Amino acid sequence: MKKTPIIALDFASKDEVMRFLHQFDEPLFVKVGMELFYQTGPELIQAIKALGHDIFLDLKLHDIPNTVSKAMEGLAQLNVDLVNVHAAGGRIMMERAIEGLRKHNPDIKIIAVTQLTSTTEAQLHEEQNIQTSMEEAVLNYAKLAQSSGLDGVVCSPLEATMIREQCGEAFLKVTPGIRPQNSDANDQKRVTTPEEAKVLGATHIVVGRPITQSENPVESYHQIKESWLN
Ligand code: C5P
């Protein structure tokens, strides 16, 4: 899997995605989320793959083990590079997700969402009835994902350090909430720069609007890539 920043393709249509990608003359690592995938389906994935890019298909699967396993068999045939599930689906669901993927593609990495960053500690306690701190809840799911055989988690850079301490360097920590120095945080609440994310233990960063909404996306991408990789 490439180490370059993962560009979140949060666009409304296939045409917009293609216009954006055609500005680049190098292989990229991009993220396709639910919004886009549910409108454009596998056809878009094939078109992006045909351009030689790696894909993180961010669909956050969460269902009974058999359904997730069969869904993963389908995603594996799209030859994406990274997929994810909710750790809340449990150990058996995660094991069956891996089994489904491996039937068609031994190389796809799979990571877990622990607690969504939109969930507050009050919601954790009152709605989910989990009576620990958010940190403990996140760590619990990270360890469960690891012992179920997953390759890593999606997390905030601010959680990456404790996950590195508990789950090791090789366990993937894919972190959104990244903003270059002095750029607009948009609706992200707690942001870090690419350099800070690296120090904190992120193994991959996900960056959307600072690149996709930039006046010069290629230049913005290169600046972020350099500060992340160097
Ligand atoms: O534009 P921006 O850089 O904020 O985009 C970040 C991307 O990462 C978006 O696609 C967003 O949905 C996703 N994401 C996030 N926070 C999470 C999980 C995913 O921002 N906890």
Side-chain angles (χ1 to χ4, degrees):
M1 225 167 58
K2 288 186 184 62
K3 281 291 285 185
T4 51
I6 301 173
I7 306 176
L9 295 179
D10 294 324
F11 294 107
S13 69
K14 182 179 169 191
D15 282 354
E16 275 183 72
V17 169
M18 288 301 147
R19 266 200 303 277
F20 172 79
L21 291 177
H22 278 121
Q23 301 172 84
F24 293 84
D25 57 7
E26 65 206 291
L28 303 172
F29 195 168
V30 299
K31 178 173 92 67
V32 173
M34 288 185 201
E35 195 183 334
L36 193 56
F37 188 75
Y38 290 154
Q39 290 183 66
T40 57
E43 194 193 311
L44 175 74
I45 300 298
Q46 280 149 9
I48 297 173
K49 273 272 140 193
L51 296 173
H53 304 309
D54 283 1
I55 302 177
F56 170 18
L57 189 51
D58 177 20
L59 299 182
K60 303 184 178 70
L61 275 67
H62 187 179
D63 208 320
I64 60 170
N66 189 58
T67 301
V68 169
S69 190
K70 300 288 181 206
M72 285 298 181
E73 279 189 46
L75 298 186
Q77 292 176 72
L78 297 177
N79 280 319
V80 293
D81 302 276
L82 179 64
V83 294
N84 59 0
V85 293
H86 271 282
R91 180 186 302 286
I92 298 174
M93 188 203 77
M94 290 192 268
E95 289 172 353
R96 294 289 311 281
I98 297 171
E99 203 181 294
L101 285 177
R102 298 291 172 258
K103 275 198 187 152
H104 296 284
N105 189 327
D107 300 323
I108 299 182
K109 302 277 186 215
I110 170 166
I111 58 179
V113 175
T114 57
Q115 286 289 342
L116 293 170
T117 46
S118 53
T119 304
T120 63
E121 205 153 281
Q123 283 176 306
L124 188 74
H125 297 162
E126 288 156 27
E127 297 179 8
Q128 298 188 34
N129 201 16
I130 295 175
Q131 304 305 334
T132 63
S133 68
M134 180 62 79
E135 278 198 352
E136 282 174 89
V138 165
L139 203 50
N140 172 57
Y141 275 152
K143 287 181 183 167
L144 180 67
Q146 187 172 41
S147 66
S148 304
L150 265 66
D151 299 293
V153 288
V154 184
C155 62
S156 143
L158 301 157
E159 295 161 351
T161 310
M162 69 171 185
I163 295 172
R164 180 176 57 190
E165 278 162 15
Q166 297 286 324
C167 302
E169 295 276 343
F171 195 60
L172 300 175
K173 295 135 209 113
V174 178
T175 67
I178 303 295
R179 290 293 178 270
Q181 206 79 53
N182 303 324
S183 78
D184 190 347
N186 309 110
D187 56 352
Q188 297 281 11
K189 298 284 181 265
R190 298 184 304 157
V191 298
T192 66
T193 64
E195 296 92 330
E196 284 163 350
K198 188 162 63 175
V199 172
L200 289 168
T203 60
H204 293 78
I205 53 172
V206 176
V207 190
R209 286 160 290 183
I211 299 170
T212 56
Q213 305 298 316
S214 161
E215 278 180 19
N216 190 334
V218 176
E219 193 182 302
S220 299
Y221 171 70
H222 283 134
Q223 281 169 2
I224 291 168
K225 181 175 148 187
E226 261 140 51
S227 49
W228 163 244
L229 292 178
N230 293 326

